Amino acid sequence: MTTDTIPLTPVYTITIASNGAAMVDGEDVTAPGTDHQAARLAALAEVRIKAALHGRPVRATVKDTDGTALPLVVDIDGTTTTLAHPHPAPAPPAVGPVAREALGALTVAAWRAISDPDTAHTSETADFLTETAEQLVAAGADRTETLRVIRNAHTIWHHIRDDDPETARELAPRLLGLLQAGHPRRTADVIEWSTTLNHATT
């Protein structure tokens, strides 16, 4: 059996306890007191059913009573192949064309928000830029563009904080998470203002 072409997911986990109870992905297959070999065969039969539902071989890992983890491939006909190495971890999804287009639209919208004199220095823009920066960071977008949005988010926050301290207070911890250690001056600005506001309201 060639295993290279088998999808990396799902990987079913077979657990066999010392008392003979077997589970597949946490669901009971045999009751305590079952012979160890019988429990193993019953669990493999359950995975074979899952392979049939997928219409192809599937991956599984048998976690035995001695703590070992045995990687397997189970085919529709019940053929079981032991692998010499653990199942490879699936790669994170790549940012495809649609996702890249969406990220580009985000950065364009952020640029337009700060370019419009009627909306640039508003609480809504500060919130929008902060959320946009968070989405860009989470998506692993272009670092240069992301940093530009982060800097703009702080700049607008700096402008609106005295007029709308409540929004500024809500955005401050999110900004600190975005700024981290790479922007010491901006980070210090957020911390200093937040500390002063806290002292003033206590």
Side-chain angles (χ1 to χ4, degrees):
M1 180 192 302
T2 302
T3 61
D4 294 343
T5 59
I6 298 173
L8 301 182
T9 59
V11 178
Y12 295 102
T13 301
I14 298 172
T15 305
I16 303 175
S18 57
N19 62 3
M23 294 187 295
V24 174
D25 282 358
E27 294 186 5
D28 292 332
V29 175
T30 61
T34 305
D35 174 77
H36 185 275
Q37 185 61 23
R40 179 187 175 93
L41 291 174
L44 288 173
E46 184 68 23
V47 174
R48 176 188 176 185
I49 293 172
K50 296 182 183 300
L53 291 174
H54 283 285
R56 60 168 175 80
V58 295
R59 297 174 183 270
T61 299
V62 179
K63 294 186 176 180
D64 224 323
T65 54
D66 59 1
T68 58
L70 188 65
L72 305 171
V73 168
V74 181
D75 209 338
I76 296 173
D77 61 2
T79 302
T80 301
T81 303
T82 302
L83 303 182
H85 304 285
H87 298 293
V95 179
V98 175
R100 280 194 289 269
E101 182 178 332
L103 294 177
L106 273 177
T107 57
V108 169
W111 175 251
R112 287 177 177 169
I114 63 171
S115 300
D116 187 341
D118 295 328
T119 62
H121 295 164
T122 64
S123 301
E124 290 76 13
T125 298
D127 183 69
F128 171 69
L129 290 175
T130 302
E131 182 175 348
T132 298
E134 290 170 338
Q135 291 186 42
L136 293 174
V137 170
D142 179 77
R143 185 62 178 161
T144 301
E145 290 295 334
T146 301
L147 290 174
R148 182 179 293 116
V149 175
I150 291 173
R151 288 193 296 267
N152 288 335
H154 170 262
T155 299
I156 302 303
W157 174 88
H158 183 91
H159 280 286
I160 65 98
R161 66 188 188 184
D162 293 331
D163 293 332
D164 189 355
E166 188 59 37
T167 297
R169 185 207 294 266
E170 293 175 0
L171 292 178
R174 295 167 62 188
L175 277 174
L176 287 175
L178 290 167
L179 294 167
Q180 298 179 345
H183 303 81
R185 182 179 60 80
R186 295 176 186 271
T187 299
D189 178 55
V190 177
I191 293 174
E192 181 180 349
W193 181 85
S194 301
T195 303
T196 301
L197 181 67
N198 289 336
H199 286 324
T201 55
T202 54

